[in-house]
Amino acid sequence: MIIAVGSLKGSPGATTLALALADRWPAGGGEPLVVEADPAGGDLGARFGLLAGGRGLVTLAAAGRRGGHARPVDDHVHELPGGLQVIPAPAGAEQASQVLGELDGGGWSLLWSAARTGGRTVIVDCGRLDPRSPTLPVLRAADVLLLVGRARDDELAHLAARMHVVQGWDVPDWYVVVIAQPHQAPEYRVREIGRVLGSRVLGPVPYDTTAAEVLAGRRQTRTGIGRSKLGRTVADIAGHLAATAPADVERPALEAAPGGIDGRGALPPAPTRAGRR
């Protein structure tokens, strides 16, 4: 399964959501891999001291040009504390954009092969999406697109105004993931947002700075994010996505249901990934 995560405006938390999905991905749903593909530059290398390792998008692009290896994707993966597997992007925007363009030489194909034939769940953090983004190959290959936005009038209006653009990308399945703001009630405007955007809405995902700092490597806890509000909410989202994984890449798009998965903003419960903290 290939999941694209991105935003249409600002930086509402796409990287945090991508990491949280991988952390809470249910057992048996395919070993998750987070690919940092933000044209503005990556953060994971600096956050976790991965820059000296020499592996990441740069080496993946080079391997794609050479036709890959016996274990093409694993050769470019870092394992974060707690077990999450990631392929980091270069920190600089110029280098990140250049490398993303070079993935057309075969690197993208290696990732898609890992998802289609290797049984992995590939979660791609695309950053901010626009028609000129070098991450458009991700949208063409993705099974699911998660558009991340804050529960604010300006961001929601921007999402609503660009729904026709999103629909033109022809991603088989897509959702808007609403990130709650500080001091907002958990049920904040989910039904209204679903009616305005005319799409399925996931969330709201709680504003949880403690759990976000754990995912960013700035805080250590015994249980990770598993017992946090963020962890519990994202576990439900991950469980739903894993349960609706396509049997093949030709599956049709599902009909949208305003206000959430069941029309009320609710999500089905799902088991979390065994062994994840």
Side-chain angles (χ1 to χ4, degrees):
M1 187 177 193
I2 301 167
I3 303 172
V5 182
S7 67
L8 297 179
K9 182 178 176 65
S11 301
T15 301
T16 297
L17 179 64
L19 291 172
L21 278 173
D23 188 272
R24 296 290 89 198
W25 200 253
E31 183 68 22
L33 170 64
V34 176
V35 180
E36 193 177 33
D38 188 342
D43 297 318
L44 296 180
R47 287 179 184 176
F48 293 95
L50 308 179
L51 299 179
R55 301 188 304 278
L57 279 190
V58 174
T59 59
L60 178 66
R65 292 194 298 270
R66 294 193 301 268
H69 301 286
R71 298 176 60 194
V73 170
D74 289 343
D75 286 346
H76 315 288
V77 170
H78 290 268
E79 185 170 300
L80 302 183
L84 292 184
Q85 297 192 353
V86 303
I87 296 181
E94 293 80 5
Q95 187 180 10
S97 294
Q98 179 181 344
V99 169
L100 287 169
E102 293 173 353
L103 288 174
D104 284 335
W108 291 128
S109 296
L110 297 180
L111 286 173
W112 311 155
S113 178
R116 303 299 186 203
T117 64
R120 299 201 75 160
T121 297
V122 178
I123 304 170
V124 188
D125 172 13
C126 299
R128 185 174 177 178
L129 297 167
D130 65 62
R132 297 176 298 277
S133 174
T135 61
L136 290 182
V138 180
L139 301 182
R140 290 194 289 268
D143 301 301
V144 179
L145 168 62
L146 302 181
L147 285 172
V148 186
R150 298 184 185 92
R152 298 188 336 198
D153 289 341
D154 56 342
E155 292 203 20
L156 297 175
H158 190 78
L159 279 170
R162 297 196 64 195
M163 282 300 100
H164 68 286
V165 176
V166 176
Q167 292 165 348
W169 288 334
D170 291 328
V171 179
D173 207 0
W174 57 278
Y175 302 92
V176 173
V177 181
V178 178
I179 308 297
Q181 295 300 285
H183 314 302
Q184 284 180 350
E187 301 83 10
Y188 178 75
R189 297 177 62 188
V190 169
R191 293 183 183 178
E192 178 186 348
I193 293 167
R195 287 194 297 270
V196 171
L197 298 181
S199 66
R200 284 173 297 179
V201 176
L202 301 182
V205 174
Y207 187 88
D208 188 340
T209 56
T210 299
E213 287 181 352
V214 172
L215 291 168
R218 294 190 290 266
R219 182 187 292 260
Q220 297 292 326
T221 68
R222 292 184 178 181
T223 59
I225 69 167
R227 297 180 182 178
S228 68
K229 293 179 180 179
L230 175 65
R232 294 194 298 270
T233 301
V234 174
D236 287 344
I237 294 175
H240 172 77
L241 295 176
T244 57
D248 55 61
V249 297
E250 297 297 329
R251 71 188 183 92
L254 300 177
E255 183 179 357
I261 294 302
D262 61 359
R264 301 188 304 273
L267 289 164
T272 55
R273 186 170 184 77
R276 290 279 183 221
R277 295 186 299 162

